Amino acid sequence: MRTCTRSLVRVLLAPLVMSLASSALIFSKAPLTRLQDCSHYYPTAMRSSARADSSWRPETVDPLGRAWGIPERIEKSYSLWLDLRTSKNTFAQMVVVKLFYAVRRVVDEAGKALPKGAAVEGLLFDEARYDRADTIGQDIPIILESPSGLVNATIQDSKHPVCAELRAPTSPEELSAAQSAFEGICDSCVTTARQTDTIDVGGVGVRMKAIALPADPLLWAMAFTGLKPSQLQSLEANQGA
């Protein structure tokens, strides 16, 4: 009964939250790609070489972005997932909208701008707490952490193993370390990953690399811009921007 009630609340809240999100977020509709050497469907948005056209920049009002210009896309060899495994609020649409405005505030007050393509590229849930209704309005990959490992639950009523190397930093220092570790892979390995989505490490096929971040605006601002906390400090003149 409690599960049914929770799902009903999610369905009733979805139109309101989606109306708020439509003016702020544009997520790409990632096609699904079949891997020859893996028996599951693998969303292109989850791939190391993902080039999502989505942006966290509002379409209508963005005075600071127009004044400073929009930085070019930052190339990276890993995906960025929103970690909802221990979140009190697991209704993804609400969390993402709230996070969007919080990240924009950090970046704008620091006198910076989000680069092109900045977006959440996946949602990570704890399988034991996962409710499909929590993902209403989110057309991005859904990953579950199960006792047997990570599984892809993007397609309804379907769960397929995900071969990935996952880092889940919770502090700026841990995030910097995770980024350095992933970007430190040799150029030839990165090339292989972008072409085939497979890197052989000790005989184990690592299909992709991902960093899962909690809904912390500073961590996401760092991940999107590549800047350090000291470079994202609020400027007095921009406070309240």
Side-chain angles (χ1 to χ4, degrees), residues 36-52:
Q36 295 181 353
D37 60 343
C38 201
S39 61
H40 63 278
Y41 282 95
Y42 188 73
T44 301
M46 292 168 52
R47 298 169 58 181
S48 300
S49 58
R51 291 176 175 271

Side-chain angles (χ1 to χ4, degrees), residues 186-205:
C186 64
D187 293 339
S188 60
C189 292
V190 173
T191 300
T192 301
R194 290 178 178 174
Q195 292 179 351
T196 67
D197 298 311
T198 302
I199 303 177
D200 290 327
V201 180
V204 179

Side-chain angles (χ1 to χ4, degrees), residues 109-165:
E109 290 190 353
K112 309 297 181 181
L114 289 173
K116 295 179 181 178
V120 173
E121 297 169 315
L123 301 172
L124 179 61
F125 290 90
D126 179 353
E127 185 180 45
R129 304 175 60 212
Y130 174 67
D131 186 332
R132 184 76 185 185
D134 282 335
T135 64
I136 292 175
Q138 294 297 290
D139 192 14
I140 52 179
I142 302 168
I143 311 301
L144 307 182
E145 183 183 53
S146 69
S148 60
L150 299 177
V151 295
N152 178 4
T154 306
I155 301 176
Q156 189 169 1
D157 299 324
S158 177
K159 295 180 181 179
H160 301 285
V162 172
C163 306
E165 180 179 353

Side-chain angles (χ1 to χ4, degrees), residues 53-97:
D53 291 329
S54 56
S55 173
W56 279 30
R57 189 171 302 283
E59 291 183 287
T60 53
V61 180
D62 188 14
L64 295 181
R66 290 171 186 164
W68 294 324
I70 303 175
E72 291 300 318
R73 183 188 307 274
I74 296 178
E75 295 293 340
K76 60 185 189 304
S77 61
Y78 53 86
S79 297
L80 291 172
W81 296 350
L82 177 59
D83 192 346
L84 297 171
R85 289 175 296 177
T86 60
S87 176
K88 293 183 179 179
N89 182 6
T90 56
F91 188 24
Q93 185 78 21
M94 186 177 296
V95 176
V96 170
V97 171

Side-chain angles (χ1 to χ4, degrees), residues 17-33:
V17 177
M18 290 176 67
S19 66
L20 294 174
S22 61
S23 63
L25 299 173
I26 304 174
F27 283 114
S28 62
K29 296 183 178 180
L32 298 177
T33 303

